[in-house]
Amino acid sequence: MSVAKALFIFARLCAINQRHRRRRLCLRRIRLLTDQVMANRPPMYCRVDATVPILRLWFDEEAEIKQDLRLTRRAMNSLQRLLDRSQDHGWGNQLEVLIYTYWLAHGLSYRVVASVFNVPKATIYRVIHKVAQNIWNNLNKVISFPQHELQALGQGFVALSGTPAFHNVVGAIDGTHIRIKPPDLHRLDYLNYKGFYSINMQAICDADGRFLDIFVGYPGSVHDTRVMKNSSFYTSGRYPPPGYIILGDGGYPCLQTPICLLTPYKEPVRGRVQQRFNHRHSKARSIIERAFGVMKTRWRSTLFRALEVKPTFAPQVIASCAFLHNVCLDNGDTLDPDEDITRDDLDPHPPHEPMALNEASGNAARDTLAAQVSEDVQTT
């Protein structure tokens, strides 16, 4: 290679290197300027497309929204206040709650909901999981067992049963099965005795059908008694103090301790005393079946068919339906349960499991209460 050619190549390399240096300096200055600008301006949030029909409906304060969102406007406003966050990043709390309730109300795919709200499908996925987690974190704001209003709860069950003997009854307990698409792993664990795949939801409600406690997540093959004994309500001792009673169906053991859980007499009953007790017991206890029926009727598109979410996420979705059930009742938003849905929870339960060592039979307490029921009936 000649000296002239070598000098020419060296000069070109120097020029290229100089251009790269100037470019790096320019990019560095741009980054510094960008950082300075962003530090002095408010953060940019995603913008709502208020022209889509569902949002036009929401922003029209005179329009009825229950048909599309399954909640009245008053209940929806209350829900948004309950879930309000101090940091309102992203799409904003109002739109996120609307997206979630719309998804629950219609049981649609993320893709369809994305087209309804004119937002990306990936955003819908994030919003649904975000709101479900927010509700999960705030369950105790709406679902909690009262400690100082037990007498008022008892009067509600007196009205339901038609006998003052039930004045110490403070709740009715039962479980219901929510259909899911089972995972490939441990698939048979989710197959319940009714023949479909499900997740268990245990609940205790008051005389108005308002949930006082819920426990969700066990596979459908697990017996109601085992679900109860592993629930936080039972293991952490959140049940009512001695002297107060929870009513359960024949799928549970009749207990005196550690929780007073009274079940009906087995059929065929012996005598009028047991017959009267079972009749009053059924009138009071059936409120939990009605509560399940109302919840499933309101969210039937999601709960009356197999949930198309992973079993790990399904408990949050189911719990949020119970949360919304209470929000609706607190805001006067009521509806009658679909009889076909309610009847689905009336199927006979399998025999209950034997009592554990720390449990005492409630047969004597049940006999005493049955005698009081007969005495009240005969004196009226």
Side-chain angles (χ1 to χ4, degrees), residues 231-245:
S231 68
S232 55
F233 177 77
Y234 189 90
T235 58
S236 63
R238 293 208 310 269
Y239 37 77
Y244 291 99
I245 301 166

Side-chain angles (χ1 to χ4, degrees), residues 83-157:
L83 301 179
D84 192 24
R85 302 182 305 274
S86 56
Q87 293 182 343
D88 196 13
H89 297 291
W91 292 85
N93 179 67
Q94 186 180 76
L95 180 61
E96 290 174 353
V97 173
L98 286 173
I99 289 173
Y100 187 73
T101 51
Y102 187 90
W103 174 72
L104 274 184
H106 299 278
L108 299 171
S109 67
Y110 296 154
R111 178 182 58 81
V112 175
V113 177
S115 66
V116 170
F117 284 88
N118 194 24
V119 298
K121 177 183 173 182
T123 298
I124 296 296
Y125 176 89
R126 288 194 298 270
V127 165
I128 287 173
H129 282 71
K130 179 181 178 181
V131 176
Q133 183 64 52
N134 192 13
I135 292 175
W136 184 267
N137 294 339
N138 289 280
L139 283 179
N140 60 0
K141 286 185 177 181
V142 174
I143 304 175
S144 61
F145 208 102
Q147 298 299 321
H148 307 292
E149 302 173 6
L150 297 180
Q151 291 184 350
L153 291 180
Q155 290 307 307
F157 283 98

